[in-house]
Amino acid sequence: MKTKLLAAAGIIALSSGLASAEGKMPFPVGEGDFNWESFEALKSMQLDGEQVTVFGPWLGPDQELAESVLAYFGEATGADIRYVGSDSFEQQIMVDAEAGSAPNVAVFPQPGLVSDMASRGFIAPLGDETANWVRDNYAAGSSWVDLSTFAGPDGKDDLYGMFFKVDVKSLVWFVPENFEDFGYDVPESMEDLKALTDQMVADGNTPWCIGLGSGGATGWPATDWVEDLMLRTQEPAVYDKWVSNEIPFTDERVVGAIEEFGYFARNDSYVSGGAGSVASTDFRDSPKGLFSSPSQCMMHRQASFIPAFFPEGTEVGLDADFFYFPAYSGKDLGSPVLGAGTLWSITNDSKGARALMEFLKSPIAHELWMAQQGFLTPHKGVNTEIYATDTLRKMGDILLSADTFRFDASDLMPGGVGAGSFWTGMVDYAGGKSAGDAAAEIQKSWDALK
């Protein structure tokens, strides 16, 4: 019964998809500093009247933004392009695939499900040509290829999607006025960040606000810290083996990354409220210490979404700003970035589906969303001046400067670990348990799932 209701809801939404996309091109064709040449090039892919369906996780304003971009694909090619969103996307896409009624293109919030579906033959491979294009045209291109390459039903690896719309997590937030008052410079390396942390203590300031509280998900902010620090202490291949548990949590390199988090979080002088407050402070309340008078802390490491929890009226770029969570200059690991993104895959192959993937390669597809909101891209061919705000442009520059990009590890691990024992293990560690003991408990839970 539930399957039938979900399918019915999909049909209703799909049939209204075109109507909601029509007339939603927010920028007149040919005007502005967009790459209209790449739009004109799309016209060679004539798809007059061919229906191309797209299914994804976005509803509300995000759906409207997606439709506004897809409308240009329809305008250029003549395709009848339709988007449907669902808050049950992960369940419904599998139902549709198994029933043989999948959309032409699906927008996956995480690559894990793509891997599962590719192994069952539910996703069409994109081939070496597209993989080479991504390597050449995306910053940290090999990372994006790695993240979207999976084994097909025959066991052969292939590219099974393209990343389009990315989020950045490797950010440290601060109040510029506070830095100016004390003469602090934005650190350019992890060595500089640790030296700045000590300087702040010497000046009588508290460097960090850290909070792990999140109701039933308490502990997840610490997993982001550990993931970022794994990328700053180990090569990407080690990170990947950790994610798949080829390297156990008890490996000294993983334990070392946990202890790196402890360097910041388990020092009473470094954390607002002392180390004992880290696990009990709600992550949504944690950054507020930046804005108190006097300030309760000087820095807060968190992803690009955190301004939603800043005091009302806070203007990013003026009242608050951010810098890249830096890498060690002495470890020669480049500039890694931790984040997330949506992977667009062909789940019902057609000429129109292939044309849509070509559209995603065009600079115009990225620029049309960049000029609105909530969109970042590693595409090296875009005009970054198109970004709607200086904040987005600055985050986009971090992406374009990355040597390595990796997806949030906990999101790729089995749910019982990534959304379970890893969270609780970090709470235990913040509360005083040794990194080795916390890691052993996490590994024990993973072993129990095998």
Side-chain angles (χ1 to χ4, degrees):
M1 183 64 178
K2 182 179 179 183
T3 298
K4 291 180 180 178
L5 287 172
L6 286 170
I11 292 169
I12 292 169
L14 188 60
S15 29
S16 64
L18 179 61
S20 60
E22 283 178 346
K24 283 206 168 186
M25 295 189 296
F27 310 104
V29 174
E31 296 183 15
D33 294 328
F34 297 93
N35 191 322
W36 291 116
E37 289 183 6
S38 65
F39 175 81
E40 292 298 320
L42 296 170
K43 293 182 178 180
S44 63
M45 300 186 295
Q46 277 308 305
L47 302 168
D48 288 347
E50 180 173 340
Q51 187 177 103
V52 182
T53 54
V54 181
F55 180 37
W58 299 309
L59 295 167
D62 285 335
Q63 174 168 342
E64 292 177 7
L65 286 165
E67 289 174 342
S68 75
V69 174
L70 293 173
Y72 288 87
F73 171 76
E75 177 72 13
T77 64
D80 174 6
I81 180 75
R82 305 187 179 205
Y83 172 87
V84 56
S86 172
D87 57 6
S88 301
F89 168 81
E90 288 87 347
Q91 295 79 23
Q92 189 60 41
I93 187 60
M94 187 61 80
V95 169
D96 291 346
E98 290 175 340
S101 57
N104 295 117
V105 173
V107 182
F108 293 87
Q110 295 179 13
L113 183 54
V114 181
S115 176
D116 293 342
M117 293 183 64
S119 68
R120 297 180 61 184
F122 290 144
I123 297 180
L126 299 181
D128 290 341
E129 182 179 346
T130 297
N132 290 333
W133 182 91
V134 173
R135 285 193 190 93
D136 293 341
N137 290 277
Y138 273 21
S142 292
S143 292
W144 297 107
V145 172
D146 292 345
L147 285 167
S148 47
T149 297
F150 311 105
D154 59 357
K156 178 180 176 294
D157 283 348
D158 209 318
L159 189 78
Y160 280 96
M162 282 183 57
F163 278 94
F164 181 77
K165 189 179 185 298
V166 176
D167 298 307
V168 173
K169 293 192 172 189
S170 303
L171 305 175
V172 178
W173 297 85
F174 68 103
V175 173
E177 184 178 351
N178 292 342
F179 269 46
E180 291 168 10
D181 287 346
F182 290 93
Y184 299 145
D185 294 324
V186 169
E188 296 185 0
S189 68
M190 184 60 71
E191 291 91 341
D192 290 343
L193 180 61
K194 289 186 172 181
L196 176 60
T197 296
D198 286 329
Q199 182 60 53
M200 288 174 173
V201 173
D203 292 340
N205 295 315
T206 302
W208 296 93
C209 279
I210 303 174
L212 308 187
S214 186
T218 291
W220 72 259
T223 68
D224 283 1
W225 271 89
V226 172
E227 290 155 5
D228 247 337
L229 290 164
M230 273 291 289
L231 290 172
R232 282 151 182 75
T233 56
Q234 305 299 327
E235 295 180 352
V238 174
Y239 183 93
D240 296 339
K241 290 179 180 179
W242 169 53
V243 169
S244 65
N245 208 222
E246 291 177 61
I247 291 175
F249 260 88
T250 51
D251 186 280
E252 62 181 9
R253 292 165 290 186
V254 182
V255 173
I258 295 173
E259 290 174 338
E260 282 279 297
F261 167 58
Y263 173 89
F264 298 98
R266 295 202 352 174
N267 186 321
D268 287 331
S269 299
Y270 285 177
V271 186
S272 177
S277 70
V278 169
S280 59
T281 300
D282 193 285
F283 86 93
R284 289 156 286 213
D285 295 330
S286 183
K288 294 175 182 176
L290 294 169
F291 306 97
S292 61
S293 184
S295 298
Q296 295 176 12
C297 63
M298 291 283 165
M299 297 180 288
H300 180 71
R301 187 226 153 274
Q302 190 50 273
S304 54
F305 70 82
I306 199 61
F309 300 102
F310 288 172
E312 188 175 350
T314 300
E315 185 177 342
V316 175
L318 180 63
D319 306 312
D321 208 345
F322 61 90
F323 58 84
Y324 167 67
F325 188 54
Y328 280 99
S329 61
K331 292 188 180 293
D332 196 28
L333 292 172
S335 299
V337 170
L338 179 72
T342 56
L343 188 59
W344 294 53
S345 300
I346 295 177
T347 44
N348 186 355
D349 210 348
S350 70
K351 179 182 177 183
R354 295 285 168 173
L356 182 56
M357 303 310 286
E358 290 301 311
F359 173 65
L360 297 184
K361 295 179 184 178
S362 69
I364 193 69
H366 299 250
E367 292 172 350
L368 291 165
W369 205 330
M370 289 164 60
Q372 299 184 76
Q373 62 181 353
F375 185 90
L376 299 173
T377 179
H379 195 314
K380 294 187 291 187
V382 301
N383 175 10
T384 57
E385 294 302 313
I386 289 288
Y387 274 117
T389 67
D390 290 339
T391 296
L392 288 171
R393 186 177 306 110
K394 188 174 175 182
M395 290 179 184
D397 288 343
I398 288 174
L399 266 179
L400 290 175
S401 299
D403 302 297
T404 299
F405 185 95
R406 281 298 183 268
F407 216 88
D408 183 297
S410 59
D411 285 344
L412 302 178
M413 294 173 180
V417 178
S421 60
F422 194 4
W423 291 350
T424 56
M426 291 302 94
V427 172
D428 291 342
Y429 174 67
K433 182 178 282 191
S434 73
D437 287 346
E441 285 297 313
I442 299 168
Q443 185 58 44
K444 182 179 178 182
S445 75
W446 202 325
D447 291 340
L449 297 173
K450 295 178 180 177

